[in-house]
Amino acid sequence: MLSWPLRVLSAFTLSVMMSNAYAAPGSWSTQVPGLMVAMSDRTVATQSAAPPGAANIQKQQLGRIQWQFQHPPGALLNAWLCHPEQCVALTGMRGSTTALAGQTAEAPLHFRFALGAGQRPVRVQGLQLIVNYQ
């Protein structure tokens, strides 16, 4: 039988392990189908990207999100990554952000795009997300 200090320590350790298991950090990734961006005065949104059904992320919050997409060289394109609560301007075709950290992780995300003034239509493809949560 464990002595009193070890029993207390074991109960405390078990309690911490259980609370950490509930809030265990994780990640999911996805690819989003490409799209044609044809207007500068109106944004176009991609399909929503939701966590896979197997991910148990209820009551979890977003952390760092990495993104990637491709478009033809020289195209001027405005891009955003959007959560139902807020959108974040993206600084390039590849990067990461913590600007959505704290938002609910179970909500779907999507990209939004608009052409720069005077640009011809552009096909955006290779859209990918890696979403970290805790």
Side-chain angles (χ1 to χ4, degrees), residues 13 23 41 44 47 71 77 83 110 112 114:
T13 302
D41 60 343
V44 62
Q47 284 184 356
H71 60 69
L77 196 63
H83 179 276
H110 67 273
R112 295 186 80 82

Side-chain angles (χ1 to χ4, degrees), residues 2-9:
L2 295 174
S3 67
W4 179 85
L6 289 177
R7 279 194 310 248
V8 171
L9 181 59

Side-chain angles (χ1 to χ4, degrees), residues 33-106:
L35 71 154
M36 184 65 75
V37 183
M39 297 184 203
S40 60
D41 60 343
R42 195 176 312 170
T43 63
V44 62
T46 63
Q47 284 184 356
S48 291
N56 184 15
I57 61 170
Q58 293 175 345
K59 299 184 182 180
Q60 301 286 334
Q61 295 180 336
L62 292 175
R64 177 172 304 280
I65 301 173
Q66 296 172 281
W67 78 86
Q68 177 176 305
F69 60 87
Q70 300 162 355
H71 60 69
L76 296 177
L77 196 63
N78 297 309
W80 299 266
L81 178 60
C82 297
H83 179 276
E85 300 295 322
Q86 111 187 58
C87 289
V88 175
L90 302 179
T91 56
M93 291 191 288
R94 176 182 296 222
S96 66
T97 184
T98 56
L100 295 173
Q103 298 286 2
T104 180
E106 60 190 305

